[in-house]
Amino acid sequence: MSEIHNVVIVGSGPAGYTAAVYAARAQLNPIVYEGSITAGGALMNTTEVENFPGFPEGVMGPDLMDAMRKQAEKFGAKLITDDIVEMKLDGEIKVLTDGSGNTMKAKAVILATGSAYKEIGLTNEKRLSGRGVSWCATCDGFFFREKVVAIVGGGDSAMEEANFLTRFASKVVLIHRRDSLRASKIMADRAMANPKIEFLWNTEVIDVLGADQMTGLKLKNTVDGTESEQDFDGLFVAIGHVPRSELIVGQIDLDAEGYVKVQGRSSKTNLTGVFACGDLVDHTYRQAITAAGTGCEAALDAERFLSGH
């Protein structure tokens, strides 16, 4: 494609869709690569969102993303359900290639690729993925009706997943390597008050057991080092996320954890005309509302950049 676009937004979710809304309203005619599988971002795998402003009764994550998507389309954003697989961002004209082999040229690029589920890092964890091991309770909880499942984690996501799993599982054992949770008090209290949730403190998972299907876990006590095995029908991993920055390594300045470095309170990266927002830059807050806010910032920064060029 020889046409040079004003701005291409890579990624969707609250950051990408908000950037699309602002860029479209600014008459920039943005192109949004929302992803072939992950369109809508992490909120597509979330049940009820209770803390997004404007929804006193809460809103389902997919419904919120669908509303943002429609709003971006309403103002003229062009949405492409495909992935960007290669980016050349250092020139005045940015060149992006999608999974179908199409080339897109743009004066500015907004990166909103978000984050991915973090893995424990065990060989059998990966091998038994989809056969008892999961990273998404809302995706796979249904398959564990009247089963005993374990969930690893200590943050808000782990508490939410644990509570959700009690709709299906007969028992949920929350495994945490420390003796206290890092989750917010309201989420921790809710999990602790659920009679179907048990807590296994000072414990870490060191192996996933099973041949063709997960049958249990090998556990290690983090205080005295003792090891044990326990039967489980499923394992849900909820230990956080890692930024999806693999396509821009070597082009965009990243911190030690792989998050994009931005300049001060802006969304500007080290490359002129390239902006970043959402979970790709945020390893502190990681909320839908903060992601949306930085998406707004990225669109405004891009608009100002383009008006000056």
Side-chain angles (χ1 to χ4, degrees):
M1 298 178 68
S2 59
E3 181 182 0
I4 299 176
H5 300 275
N6 285 317
V7 59
V8 171
I9 300 168
V10 184
S12 47
Y17 288 144
T18 301
V21 168
Y22 274 79
R25 290 187 75 252
Q27 304 297 309
L28 296 180
N29 302 312
I31 306 294
V32 183
Y33 274 91
E34 55 181 353
S36 59
I37 298 175
T38 57
L43 280 186
M44 296 300 288
N45 296 325
T46 303
T47 51
E48 191 171 21
V49 179
E50 298 178 317
N51 54 6
F52 198 91
F55 298 91
E57 303 303 320
V59 59
M60 298 298 285
D63 292 341
L64 179 60
M65 289 303 92
D66 185 57
M68 286 189 179
R69 187 182 194 275
K70 288 177 179 176
Q71 191 174 5
E73 279 191 306
K74 173 187 174 182
F75 291 116
K78 180 180 178 181
L79 303 173
I80 300 176
T81 307
D82 203 345
D83 298 304
I84 292 296
V85 297
E86 184 180 358
M87 290 185 272
K88 297 180 180 178
L89 302 173
D90 56 345
E92 183 176 349
I93 301 301
K94 323 301 179 185
V95 182
L96 301 90
T97 304
D98 66 23
S100 301
N102 301 309
T103 298
M104 191 73 64
K105 297 178 181 179
K107 300 172 187 175
V109 169
I110 294 175
L111 302 171
T113 50
S115 57
Y117 296 113
K118 186 181 291 185
E119 299 177 3
I120 300 172
L122 304 172
T123 301
N124 287 329
E125 170 194 16
K126 198 73 171 178
R127 183 178 65 82
L128 292 170
S129 172
R131 290 180 286 176
V133 179
S134 173
W135 291 265
C136 178
T138 53
C139 308
D140 301 324
F142 175 82
F143 300 108
F144 294 88
R145 287 187 177 276
E146 299 306 313
K147 304 289 187 180
V148 178
V149 300
I151 182 165
V152 175
D156 280 355
S157 294
M159 300 308 110
E160 181 182 5
E161 300 256 292
N163 273 301
F164 179 80
L165 285 169
T166 60
R167 301 183 188 184
F168 308 100
S170 59
K171 183 169 71 171
V172 177
V173 179
L174 200 148
I175 301 171
H176 189 46
R177 61 184 303 158
R178 300 179 180 85
D179 60 2
S180 61
L181 300 169
R182 66 178 185 277
S184 60
K185 188 176 186 304
I186 186 172
M187 294 297 288
D189 288 348
R190 189 176 299 171
M192 289 181 175
N194 193 318
K196 294 177 73 174
I197 298 177
E198 295 181 7
F199 288 82
L200 198 54
W201 304 105
N202 297 316
T203 303
E204 61 181 348
V205 176
I206 58 174
D207 200 3
V208 183
L209 308 176
D212 298 322
Q213 184 73 25
M214 177 188 157
T215 58
L217 298 173
K218 189 173 184 179
L219 307 170
K220 181 180 180 179
N221 186 290
T222 57
V223 177
D224 59 26
T226 57
E227 297 180 3
S228 62
E229 293 184 2
Q230 191 166 331
D231 292 341
F232 287 103
D233 299 300
L235 170 66
F236 289 82
V237 181
I239 56 175
H241 300 80
V242 291
R244 299 182 62 197
S245 55
E246 60 275 6
L247 286 179
I248 53 176
V249 172
Q251 297 189 76
I252 301 293
D253 287 346
L254 309 175
D255 67 16
E257 297 176 69
Y259 291 86
V260 172
K261 292 182 178 180
V262 291
Q263 300 174 18
R265 284 282 292 115
S266 77
S267 65
K268 299 175 184 176
T269 70
N270 60 297
L271 294 182
T272 302
V274 181
F275 309 89
C277 56
D279 284 3
L280 187 62
V281 303
D282 178 17
H283 45 74
T284 303
Y285 302 105
R286 292 192 294 259
Q287 300 295 307
I289 187 64
T290 52
T294 60
C296 164
E297 292 173 6
L300 294 176
D301 286 342
E303 179 188 0
R304 290 163 185 159
F305 165 76
L306 291 166
S307 67
H309 291 73

